[in-house]
Amino acid sequence: MLRAHTVEDVRRAEQAAMAVLPAGALMQRAAAGLAAAVVDLLGGGYGRRVLLLVGPGDNGGDALWAGARLAGRGARVEALLLAERVHAAGLSALRGAGGRAIRELDDLDPAPDLLVDGIVGIGGRPGLRPDAVAALERFAGVPVVAVDVPSGLDVDSGRIDGEHVRADLTVTFGTHKVAHLVDPASTACGALHLVDLGLDLPAPAVEALQPHDVRALLPRPGPSAHKYTRGVVGVRAGSSTYPGAALLAVAGANTGLAGMVRYVGPAQVADTVRSAHPEVVGAGRVQAWVVGPGGGDDAETMLAEASADGVPVVVDADALRHVSGPVPGRVLTPHAGELAAMLGVERAEVEAAPFDAVRSAARRWECVVLLKGHHTLVADPRGRVRATTTGVPWLATAGAGDVLAGVVGALVAAGLEPYDAASVGSWLHGAAATRAAGGGPLTASRVAVQIPGLVRETLAGLG
């Protein structure tokens, strides 16, 4: 499990570690990991030109000490000092190793191979000062390695407010931070590299499933299993206007994760569904419902009829408009616009702070909420949050959410708790989309087709 913590949790863990370690040990570990990551990215150290952007905090100190290590390996290292006072020992080490520290942008060498962002630490406020912005603009297009987090982000909320660094690689220390996993800040982090500092940390603020976590959670049939014991998922979706939504929701549900799929909907749509999916049967008892995709004016009735069965319900698309009051046991699967309407706010507010929005929604409706996005977030009423880091931008395509709802519903029917079902379903959906896209465009139906093979490989430990 990839775990991300708040600034306060990290600081407490660092203070506890520093109480028992030699002075400066944590910074040296961080600097060594940062220098190694820079060398790896550059393909070597000797003769490379590295520019450090150094602010007043410990991140600036990490950058200076890493610069000293790089200079010792033959790199030409310069440090642009963006504060009156910087880490004194790190600055002395850089100069002692042959590096150069300057305060004027015009005195820099013209063409560094790489920038190291040590401008603002994890406790900094969003936005950057003009001198930092000027330096970044001067060297636009040069690869950037961020120290711990790209400067200018709100670390604990993932918000972006003002100018900020966009990193190609972020080297973080001790643990991931919330901004690494939560949009919109996560889009500024580039690739992530964690340097282990051996910190004793509390429960994380955000988690991200990895293949071995998904493997442990995936339901698998026992030797005496039959279609009913493996779970039956029902789908109430589609209309004469949107029959394709029913097909896609059923395609997500009918990926072999549950033992049986039932479809209940307009007769003409039902004929189309069963023509494409002959395994699908009609009304009967289920362990979970998927309701809403393409339901149109019938979505309210669909939701009421599914709710009457007293089983978990995955509520998507048109059915979300009819959710009211606490709904324990449900999984709501909105995108930003749908969640904004449910919360009575503007879409831009949800997109600016999805971490805050999804937690608020989970508390308000007392159920699991899956907020779709670049990094889809899953929250429960207890405050737990998971971020999905699988997927590709091509997944932003019509019908993809219908498939996701079907996958989540099948996992609930198969026995997973709603929080785990939503998390695993989102992971599978993103990973299947990556396979289906192959670096190019894809359609939603191709995502569903990839899931059985992906599950097989994940269970085999090949993911």
Side-chain angles (χ1 to χ4, degrees):
M1 193 87 70
L2 190 155
R3 296 174 171 85
H5 290 80
T6 65
V7 172
E8 182 179 357
D9 285 342
V10 171
R11 284 178 169 166
R12 287 178 177 174
E14 288 177 344
Q15 289 170 358
M18 288 188 290
V20 298
L21 290 173
L26 284 185
M27 184 168 283
Q28 290 303 316
R29 291 180 188 176
L34 175 59
V38 168
V39 169
D40 186 58
L41 183 62
L42 289 173
Y46 187 82
R48 304 303 198 275
R49 293 174 178 265
V50 177
L51 173 60
L52 315 176
L53 303 179
V54 180
D58 285 346
N59 279 29
D62 295 333
L64 289 166
W65 277 109
R69 290 175 176 269
L70 294 168
R73 297 187 61 163
R76 182 181 177 90
V77 182
E78 292 184 314
L80 177 63
L81 307 183
L82 296 170
E84 288 300 317
R85 298 178 62 183
V86 298
H87 195 279
L91 180 58
S92 177
L94 175 67
R95 286 171 169 159
R100 189 165 75 112
I102 56 180
R103 293 187 177 275
E104 297 297 329
L105 190 57
D106 291 341
D107 293 337
L108 291 170
D109 284 343
D113 297 309
L114 182 139
L115 302 181
V116 175
D117 161 31
I119 302 169
V120 181
I122 59 174
R125 296 179 179 178
L128 294 174
R129 288 171 39 179
D131 54 353
V133 174
L136 292 166
E137 290 177 346
R138 167 82 171 270
F139 298 108
V142 176
V144 178
V145 175
V147 180
D148 221 358
V149 292
S151 294
L153 307 178
D154 189 304
V155 178
D156 279 350
S157 73
R159 288 178 179 265
I160 292 176
D161 184 12
E163 298 287 347
H164 61 91
V165 170
R166 287 192 173 275
D168 297 276
L169 170 68
T170 295
V171 180
T172 193
F173 311 119
T175 180
H176 291 87
K177 315 305 184 291
V178 174
H180 296 145
L181 299 183
V182 171
D183 293 340
S186 67
T187 62
C189 294
L192 297 173
H193 175 71
L194 175 64
V195 177
D196 185 14
L197 299 182
L199 301 180
D200 185 11
L201 291 154
V206 186
E207 297 176 327
L209 297 181
Q210 303 300 295
H212 62 276
D213 303 309
V214 175
R215 183 162 58 252
L217 287 169
L218 275 169
R220 43 178 73 77
S224 60
H226 53 77
K227 60 188 176 184
Y228 296 111
T229 61
R230 291 192 56 217
V232 181
V233 57
V235 178
R236 293 178 181 268
S239 61
S240 58
T241 306
Y242 302 109
L247 282 167
L248 291 168
V250 168
N254 192 35
T255 51
L257 294 167
M260 181 185 290
V261 180
R262 297 185 183 276
Y263 175 74
V264 178
Q268 184 178 0
V269 178
D271 291 341
T272 304
V273 166
R274 294 188 186 105
S275 176
H277 301 280
E279 310 93 341
V280 174
V281 298
R285 294 183 61 184
V286 301
Q287 279 71 56
W289 280 106
V290 177
V291 177
D297 294 337
D298 296 330
E300 183 174 12
T301 301
M302 290 177 173
L303 181 58
E305 291 175 347
S307 300
D309 283 351
V311 299
V313 181
V314 178
V315 185
D316 187 48
D318 294 323
L320 291 167
R321 300 196 306 270
H322 306 290
V323 173
S324 61
V327 285
R330 293 188 183 179
V331 180
L332 312 182
T333 60
H335 55 58
E338 291 165 336
L339 185 56
M342 295 175 74
L343 293 172
V345 300
E346 295 296 321
R347 178 176 186 142
E349 185 174 332
V350 173
E351 291 176 334
F355 184 53
D356 294 339
V358 74
R359 290 185 299 169
S360 175
R363 290 192 300 267
R364 177 170 175 176
W365 285 289
E366 297 180 11
C367 68
V368 171
V369 178
L370 182 157
L371 176 57
K372 292 174 277 196
H374 164 249
H375 279 184
T376 290
L377 298 178
V378 177
D380 75 357
R382 295 165 49 189
R384 296 183 297 174
V385 180
R386 285 179 179 156
T388 302
T389 56
T390 58
V392 289
W394 295 110
L395 186 52
T397 186
D402 304 336
V403 174
L404 173 59
V407 172
V408 173
L411 289 166
V412 175
L416 288 190
E417 293 298 318
Y419 182 65
D420 287 335
S423 306
V424 171
S426 180
W427 189 94
L428 291 173
H429 187 248
T434 301
R435 289 165 57 118
L442 77 160
T443 55
S445 57
R446 289 172 53 206
V447 175
V449 170
Q450 293 292 331
I451 288 177
L454 174 65
V455 170
R456 180 180 64 250
E457 293 178 10
T458 302
L459 290 174
L462 302 178

